[in-house]
Amino acid sequence: MFLRRVGRKDGDGNQRHWALCESYRTERGPRQRVVAYLGDVSESLRQGVEDAASGLPRQGDLFGESAPEYVEVDVKRVRVERARSFGGAWLALQMISELELDSFLEKSLPVGKEDIAWSLMSQILAVHRLLDPSSELSVAEGGYEKTALSDLLGVPSLSINDDRLYRALDRLLPQKAALETHLKERVGKLFGLDYELLLYDLTSTYFEGACTGNAQAQRGYSRDSRPDCKQVTIALVVSRDGFPLGYEVFSGNTADVSTVEDIVEIIEARYGKADRIWAMDRGMASCENFEFLKQGGRRYILGTPKSQLKAYEKELMESGWESVREGVEVKKCASPDGSETFILCRSADRRLKDKAIHDKFASKIETGLVKIVESCQKKQRPTAVACRVGRLLGQNTRAERLFAFEVKTRSDGGAELTWSKKEEVRAWSELSEGCYMLRTNVSDWSGEDLWEAYIQLSQAESAFRICKNDLKLRPIWHQKEERVKAHILVCFLAYVLFKTLDLKCRNAGLGDSARKILDEFAAIQMVDVVMPTKAGTVIRKRCVSVPESHLNVLLHKLGLTLPTSTELPTV
């Protein structure tokens, strides 16, 4: 079907009337006939009829410029309805489009008899986690209606419920490995990221609830200072720029050193065993892990326990340090067998911090010992005095090795406490303050390059901080193991969107300002402008608020064009 101009011309020679026509076949060939006469209709209605006749679905034109239309409006009755957040949701969908995440989800997620595609539901989960992180129930009970996602994705608010969101989590989780591979390749093309250096770190996140049905929910070392709660451990691998390549979820009582082999083998199986360099902190350092990395011909840069620094006491006192940054010096030292290199590092700021910590706790111990000695003037049981000293040292472990003490029994049965400072230990403590040591088998890098690579571990720490604070990864309220993993996957996707915007800002010369950009775009609203006309009809126009001048500058730098309105049928 199609539209055709019919009727007489007006004074300007234009035909204003339209007819809906169709083509059909006859024995003598194709013919055309009029299905309905539409008369004089508005441009928006004409376009709607034409789209309906063509059989093609039509979404409101967000970007195009339409011809002007004029009508008499009762200005006293003009009002605004359904104000909702537009800028953040629109920007998040722009990042999804650039990552081609929407097309990937459409191809990957199973298609069945569902009313709303699982790909759209997955996008809704990720966008909400980025902009307004909350539970699936909160999204269903009002969070979704506060955004313009219903207009941008075409999913009505009545179709969003907690059950559908939970089932979307179940559909999304099996695509985890394929998602990570797709995102790594796509971001590599967009920003030309370097994957030579892989940064590996772990964190934990705790649960609210008993989690009796989740075998991975265990008590262990809590990085959230919540030892009273069960937790899971999350292992994350990021690039030098902080973009996540993948993650794995382990039981909450998993030791850091026991995860290295699993993670390295998973990443190599997924992305190939290329000539990469693994950077890890000293929590992953063990003889078994070093042997594992060496046997596979892998290169690594690992932190080492501070206890191993004692073997290089002579090198610490000698000259030959290389300045790599103001207040930071490094020195390369070969291992005894020559197969590895140890990098001694010392920082002036860290030295001041360590000294302040040692002085603080040493002062507390000294004051406490003096009080205990004074209390021994009265008859006290030796065991009670020894317990008091042990408790004092346990409360100030950072300086306990600086003191020696002895509890004796006097002739009257009372306790006598004598203590002293270990000057040799104190001298080593002062020498090693602000110092730490790295261990590597990378031989073709300078000390500065090795140190710079190691401190990039802060990118992984930054990723954990954003996920926990901005994206509300913690606490986890889900109780089922699969739902917990799906929740973490949604947080991972939201962080990918965050980091994509961050990299886009960096390339545009805006620095690492993704959170600031999202906050600024949150001010852009979408509203329905309701205009009663003189003819008695009511026109509803869905409009996007005009951004302020500084937002226009941001849009220009990011290479984005903000839509101004969407078309709604006249009511």
Side-chain angles (χ1 to χ4, degrees):
M1 291 187 181
F2 59 93
L3 292 182
R4 173 186 292 165
R5 294 180 185 270
V6 296
R8 297 179 180 179
K9 298 182 179 180
D10 58 15
D12 297 328
N14 299 320
Q15 288 178 301
R16 298 289 302 276
H17 292 253
W18 296 86
L20 180 62
C21 305
E22 70 172 353
S23 296
Y24 63 98
R25 292 185 178 276
T26 67
E27 295 179 356
R28 297 183 178 182
R31 295 291 187 270
Q32 298 174 352
R33 61 189 173 197
V34 176
V35 177
Y37 288 98
L38 304 179
D40 184 5
V41 296
S42 65
E43 178 63 19
S44 60
L45 182 56
R46 183 198 67 78
Q47 184 65 51
V49 173
E50 186 172 11
D51 289 338
S54 66
L56 298 176
R58 178 175 183 262
Q59 185 180 0
D61 182 12
L62 291 176
F63 302 95
E65 294 290 338
S66 58
E69 297 182 56
Y70 301 99
V71 67
E72 293 185 78
V73 174
D74 183 356
V75 295
K76 292 184 178 180
R77 296 167 57 199
V78 173
R79 63 186 184 273
V80 173
E81 296 180 353
R82 295 191 67 230
R84 52 219 176 275
S85 177
F86 178 86
W90 174 80
L91 185 59
L93 292 179
Q94 295 299 305
M95 298 303 104
I96 288 177
S97 178
E98 291 203 15
L99 293 172
E100 297 180 356
L101 185 57
D102 48 352
S103 58
F104 172 83
L105 292 172
E106 289 175 7
K107 296 176 183 177
S108 302
L109 292 177
V111 178
K113 297 181 180 180
E114 64 274 2
D115 295 331
I116 307 298
W118 297 121
S119 60
L120 294 177
M121 298 303 299
S122 300
Q123 293 179 56
I124 291 171
L125 287 168
V127 172
H128 267 281
R129 180 59 54 178
L130 174 66
L131 302 178
D132 184 22
S134 57
S135 67
E136 286 74 20
L137 182 62
S138 176
V139 173
E141 291 187 343
Y144 183 76
E145 294 180 357
K146 296 178 182 178
T147 71
L149 284 174
S150 58
D151 298 274
L152 293 167
L153 293 177
V155 180
S157 300
L158 293 177
S159 298
I160 303 300
N161 55 67
D162 56 337
D163 182 62
R164 181 166 281 154
L165 291 170
Y166 288 137
R167 285 185 286 131
L169 290 175
D170 300 335
R171 301 305 194 282
L172 182 62
L173 182 60
Q175 309 302 323
K176 172 183 175 295
L179 263 172
E180 292 173 348
T181 302
H182 168 79
L183 293 171
K184 181 256 184 185
E185 293 176 353
R186 182 59 185 162
V187 172
K189 293 179 181 178
L190 285 175
F191 303 105
L193 298 187
D194 175 22
Y195 296 117
E196 179 189 17
L197 178 67
L198 299 185
L199 312 167
Y200 175 49
D201 203 359
L202 295 102
T203 191
S204 60
T205 184
Y206 64 93
F207 291 88
E208 291 288 355
C211 297
T212 55
N214 188 345
Q216 288 192 325
Q218 302 291 335
R219 287 185 172 84
Y221 171 63
S222 175
R223 295 162 176 84
D224 300 318
S225 300
R226 290 298 304 269
D228 58 313
C229 298
K230 291 183 178 180
Q231 63 179 23
V232 290
T233 301
I234 303 173
L236 178 68
V237 179
V238 302
S239 70
R240 185 191 294 266
D241 299 282
F243 187 84
L245 278 76
Y247 74 94
E248 292 297 324
V249 182
F250 296 97
S251 298
N253 57 358
T254 303
D256 292 3
V257 292
S258 65
T259 64
V260 173
E261 290 191 25
D262 292 336
I263 286 294
V264 172
E265 290 175 350
I266 289 172
I267 294 297
E268 290 180 347
R270 190 169 299 164
Y271 304 122
K273 192 175 179 180
D275 185 23
R276 298 189 179 96
I277 299 174
W278 288 88
M280 310 176 194
D281 66 16
R282 62 186 182 185
M284 283 71 154
S286 70
C287 296
E288 293 78 8
N289 286 338
F290 282 116
E291 286 301 319
F292 165 74
L293 294 171
K294 288 178 183 178
Q295 289 174 2
R298 304 172 183 90
R299 300 198 292 171
Y300 55 84
I301 306 172
L302 269 73
T304 61
K306 198 164 185 177
S307 59
Q308 297 184 12
L309 195 61
K310 183 69 174 177
Y312 291 86
E313 182 176 3
K314 180 181 178 182
E315 285 77 3
L316 286 176
M317 295 186 291
E318 293 177 346
S319 59
W321 292 83
E322 174 189 359
S323 178
V324 296
R325 184 184 291 183
E326 184 179 357
V328 179
E329 297 175 314
V330 299
K331 178 192 286 190
K332 294 178 68 175
C333 303
S335 63
D337 60 3
S339 62
E340 293 179 308
T341 302
F342 290 89
I343 302 96
L344 303 179
C345 312
R346 64 184 182 190
S347 166
D349 291 339
R350 188 166 178 171
R351 181 184 181 86
L352 293 176
K353 178 182 177 181
D354 289 349
K355 179 175 174 54
I357 291 174
H358 290 156
D359 290 347
K360 173 184 176 182
F361 287 106
S363 176
K364 287 184 177 181
I365 292 176
E366 191 169 347
T367 302
L369 290 174
V370 170
K371 290 182 178 179
I372 295 175
V373 169
E374 291 177 352
S375 68
C376 287
Q377 294 177 2
K378 297 180 181 179
K379 188 176 181 180
Q380 304 240 2
R381 289 183 297 110
T383 54
V385 172
C387 288
R388 289 180 62 188
V389 174
R391 187 162 51 250
L392 175 64
L393 297 180
Q395 294 171 347
N396 302 275
T397 56
R398 296 295 295 270
E400 64 174 335
R401 67 183 185 278
L402 303 179
F403 296 86
F405 73 95
E406 183 179 7
V407 179
K408 299 179 181 179
T409 303
R410 298 195 306 256
S411 57
D412 61 352
E416 179 182 356
L417 171 64
T418 58
W419 61 273
S420 61
K421 297 180 180 179
K422 299 179 181 178
E423 296 302 331
E424 182 180 349
V425 176
R426 182 177 293 274
W428 166 246
S429 175
E430 292 177 355
L431 176 64
S432 62
E433 284 173 348
C435 298
Y436 54 98
M437 186 168 66
L438 312 179
R439 181 175 176 177
T440 181
N441 61 352
V442 179
S443 58
D444 54 344
W445 284 19
S446 66
E448 180 178 0
D449 292 336
L450 293 168
W451 178 82
E452 288 281 359
Y454 181 76
I455 65 169
Q456 293 300 315
L457 278 171
S458 60
Q459 293 287 352
E461 296 169 358
S462 175
F464 290 139
R465 185 167 57 252
I466 292 170
C467 287
K468 290 184 176 183
N469 298 334
D470 291 12
L471 306 180
K472 299 294 187 294
L473 171 65
R474 62 180 180 188
I476 299 176
W477 296 89
H478 294 282
Q479 302 295 300
K480 296 181 179 179
E481 183 174 336
E482 297 302 310
R483 291 278 173 84
V484 170
K485 292 180 178 179
H487 165 74
I488 296 173
L489 177 56
V490 171
C491 291
F492 172 82
L493 289 178
Y495 177 70
V496 168
L497 299 181
F498 182 96
K499 198 61 188 178
T500 301
L501 179 59
D502 211 38
L503 293 172
K504 196 172 179 67
C505 292
R506 190 185 306 175
N507 288 352
L510 299 173
D512 300 331
S513 53
R515 176 49 57 192
K516 180 66 175 177
I517 296 293
L518 287 172
D519 291 342
E520 292 289 346
F521 272 75
I524 301 176
Q525 300 285 305
M526 172 178 276
V527 297
D528 289 354
V529 181
V530 183
M531 298 170 286
T533 66
K534 183 178 180 180
T537 58
V538 176
I539 298 174
R540 289 178 177 270
K541 185 70 173 178
R542 189 155 292 170
C543 299
V544 178
S545 61
V546 178
E548 297 182 11
S549 57
H550 70 282
L551 282 178
N552 283 323
V553 174
L554 293 178
L555 286 166
H556 176 71
K557 285 185 173 292
L558 294 174
L560 301 174
T561 303
L562 187 73
T564 57
S565 66
T566 60
E567 295 290 340
L568 284 179
T570 302
V571 178

